[in-house]
Amino acid sequence: QVTFVQSGGGLVQPGGSLRLSCRASTIPNGDFEMGWYRQAPGQQRELVATVTTSRQTNYADSVKGRFIISRDNSLSVTLLMNNLQPNDTALYYCNMQVGSRNFWGQGTQVTVSS
């Protein structure tokens, strides 16, 4: 079982920046992917960005050019979010995918409002 400690998030004005961090309790053997997903009220959970063990990244079209995901070390991943907009408001979840298994963090609220 993998657990996570998430930090960051909060309230920011449109155009502002926030940083989310996630640290896993353990890492599995072999390749795995870590990343961030988000869920707005009344919406389905959606991909934000992921990074593999070889540091290949994948971004949702809606955040390309604004968000940067990085693998700090084997246990930690950071999401830098720039030029935040009101439609970025959501609960952000850290995720680890190992094969077909998914492990989720507890969620961190990001609110973009003036």
Side-chain angles (χ1 to χ4, degrees), residues 92-110:
Y92 283 69
Y93 294 92
C94 184
N95 169 267
M96 178 185 289
Q97 185 173 356
V98 186
S100 61
R101 293 181 295 165
N102 278 284
F103 303 95
W104 297 96
Q106 78 278 10
T108 299
Q109 181 65 39
V110 171

Side-chain angles (χ1 to χ4, degrees), residues 5 11 22 27 30 46 48 58 60 62 72 91-92 96 112:
V5 175
L11 173 65
C22 173
I27 56 172
E46 64 177 8
V48 178
N58 181 43
S62 60
D72 307 321
L91 198 57
Y92 283 69
M96 178 185 289
V112 186

Side-chain angles (χ1 to χ4, degrees), residues 80-91:
L80 176 60
M81 304 182 291
N82 297 312
N83 191 22
L84 282 159
Q85 300 301 317
N87 59 5
D88 294 315
T89 296
L91 198 57

Side-chain angles (χ1 to χ4, degrees), residues 2-114:
V2 181
T3 60
F4 302 93
V5 175
Q6 293 185 214
S7 61
L11 173 65
V12 65
Q13 292 186 341
S17 297
L18 285 174
R19 185 190 303 270
L20 302 180
S21 296
C22 173
R23 180 177 176 85
S25 59
T26 185
I27 56 172
N29 293 323
D31 291 335
F32 61 98
E33 193 173 86
M34 288 187 74
W36 294 90
Y37 288 71
R38 67 187 181 187
Q39 187 167 17
Q43 302 293 319
Q44 291 189 330
R45 192 173 297 189
E46 64 177 8
L47 167 76
V48 178
T50 59
V51 58
T52 67
T53 48
S54 58
R55 288 180 162 78
Q56 288 184 315
T57 58
N58 181 43
Y59 294 92
D61 287 343
S62 60
V63 307
K64 282 180 182 176
R66 300 188 298 125
F67 291 12
I68 301 172
I69 190 169
S70 59
R71 198 76 170 257
D72 307 321
N73 53 53
S74 58
L75 287 172
S76 301
V77 64
T78 296
L79 183 70
L80 176 60
M81 304 182 291
N82 297 312
N83 191 22
L84 282 159
Q85 300 301 317
N87 59 5
D88 294 315
T89 296
L91 198 57
Y92 283 69
Y93 294 92
C94 184
N95 169 267
M96 178 185 289
Q97 185 173 356
V98 186
S100 61
R101 293 181 295 165
N102 278 284
F103 303 95
W104 297 96
Q106 78 278 10
T108 299
Q109 181 65 39
V110 171
T111 302
V112 186
S113 176
S114 56

